Amino acid sequence: MHGEKRDVAHKILLAAVKVFDKYGLRKTTMRDIAESAGMSKSSLYYYFKSKRDILSSVVKQESLTLTRKLHHAIQQDISPQQKLREYVVTRMHLLFELSVYYASLSEAYLEQYSFIEQEREAFTAFEIDAVSKILSEGVLKGIFRGRDILAAAKTIIIIMKALELRLVISKSMDELDSTVDTMLEILFHGLETR
Amino acid sequence: MHGEKRDVAHKILLAAVKVFDKYGLRKTTMRDIAESAGMSKSSLYYYFKSKRDILSSVVKQESLTLTRKLHHAIQQDISPQQKLREYVVTRMHLLFELSVYYASLSEAYLEQYSFIEQEREAFTAFEIDAVSKILSEGVLKGIFRGRDILAAAKTIIIIMKALELRLVISKSMDELDSTVDTMLEILFHGLETR
DNA sequence: TGATTTTTCGACCAATTTAGTCGAATTATA
DNA sequence: TATAATTCGACTAAATTGGTCGAAAAATCA
């Protein structure tokens, strides 16, 4: 009749995201997750074998959401400039919502949950590929200068990561879009042919 | 030569605010505060007698900042409408920054730190007074209708508190100002004479 | 209906973390 | 140099942590 096992597991993950977002990974306890999911702590272990397991599932889920939406954002039939803008802005807004990627963790903690770093590295690889493709397209169309695409892509990603940090600190998205625009304005006039 | 006792105490409070903001009151430990302040945990007890003491000081400090800035915001020589707008917007932005008032705490936790509720109540009293004065001024100038000022003030404050909740949930201030404007538009056309 | 399976939870555990203490070391002051 | 102000490492008792287990409840099946 009602909820299957997978639905409850999903409900738990949603609850986990909520509290991860609130307290960060390190500070979130199984009790917090259970409370947020509206069930007993023991019941969590019926669906997940450990806290690490829940964490891992959340990370994988968020990572999937992130890449899927970013992929979709640059699939549109728009100019390379617009694509780059779309990518950066979408990325900003998504990362603002997704909790796990923002968790600033101590090295010791990351060691324990190594899959987070792994997932992050995989995401970086995706990013370099995605941005490189946008740049290549721009070069082919004679819009961007065709020097070292990989280096250019990496630079853009570094700048975006720097923006992430500012975002976390300010906790506001007010100036974000204009900052992105300013940044991209500079970026475009440096990349475009004349 | 360098830092007096009061300065260090102040430094500790700033560090405390930083981590309270990050983890919330409940999740913040003395170790967190000490780390954030760049000193040993034991040293904190040279300046404050307990965690409760630090918490209390932070709450009082934030409460003071809040009321002082709000008071200043409505001291300007502007129309009652502008004053009301100024009050609401300032309040929103300040509460977004101040960590303590947003801490959603369980009743059990609030019991332990009762001074938080006390300070909140004092703040509400200040608000009712401040908003009432703005409304009164508007009535005197023939701009607002002069029915039940106290009830009107309380209504405005309730609406602002509802906005607070939305603010916490969305964690973004993007739509906030326009929401405030929309709300005040409705509010003004209900309050103004004709 | 009664038997069986799925799901939930309270009670419990060992290990860690917590707020807070204390005396000794360090630093500044006189 | 003596004295006072400040810092901290080592410690404790109490609370909290992730995780276990078996029994109660619900849901499903016969």
Side-chain angles (χ1 to χ4, degrees), chain B residues 5 8 27 39-40 42-43 46-47:
Chain B
K5 196 161 176 177
V8 181
K27 291 277 179 176
M39 64 202 303
S40 86
S42 334
S43 293
Y46 183 69
Y47 297 94

Side-chain angles (χ1 to χ4, degrees), chain A residues 61-122:
Chain A
Q61 187 184 260
E62 292 207 348
S63 181
L64 197 69
T65 306
L66 191 58
T67 50
R68 189 166 12 89
K69 292 201 175 175
L70 279 177
H71 197 76
H72 182 259
I74 57 175
Q75 213 62 4
Q76 305 166 62
D77 190 22
I78 47 179
S79 73
Q81 293 104 316
Q82 281 176 298
K83 255 185 204 178
L84 202 49
R85 186 185 193 284
E86 198 65 26
Y87 186 89
V88 175
V89 172
T90 305
R91 192 197 127 109
M92 291 293 143
H93 281 84
L94 281 175
L95 283 186
F96 189 71
E97 281 168 21
L98 300 180
S99 50
V100 172
Y101 283 88
Y102 274 121
S104 56
L105 304 162
S106 70
E107 273 185 55
Y109 199 75
L110 269 180
E111 228 164 86
Q112 205 180 348
Y113 296 110
S114 53
F115 55 84
I116 294 176
E117 275 274 61
Q118 281 171 30
E119 209 70 43
R120 277 186 183 169
E121 274 168 34

Side-chain angles (χ1 to χ4, degrees), chain B residues 74 84 87 126-136 149 152-154 156-157 160:
Chain B
I74 58 175
L84 202 49
Y87 185 90
F126 164 85
E127 288 212 295
I128 291 176
D129 183 61
V131 173
S132 293
K133 274 179 185 160
I134 296 174
L135 292 182
S136 294
I149 287 178
K154 282 181 179 171
I156 293 170
I157 289 161
M160 288 195 294

Side-chain angles (χ1 to χ4, degrees), chain A residues 8 15 62 65 72 81 86 107 125 128 133-134 136 157 174:
Chain A
V8 181
E62 292 207 348
T65 306
H72 182 259
Q81 293 104 316
E86 198 65 26
E107 273 185 55
I128 291 175
K133 274 180 185 159
I134 297 174
S136 295
I157 289 162
D174 252 350

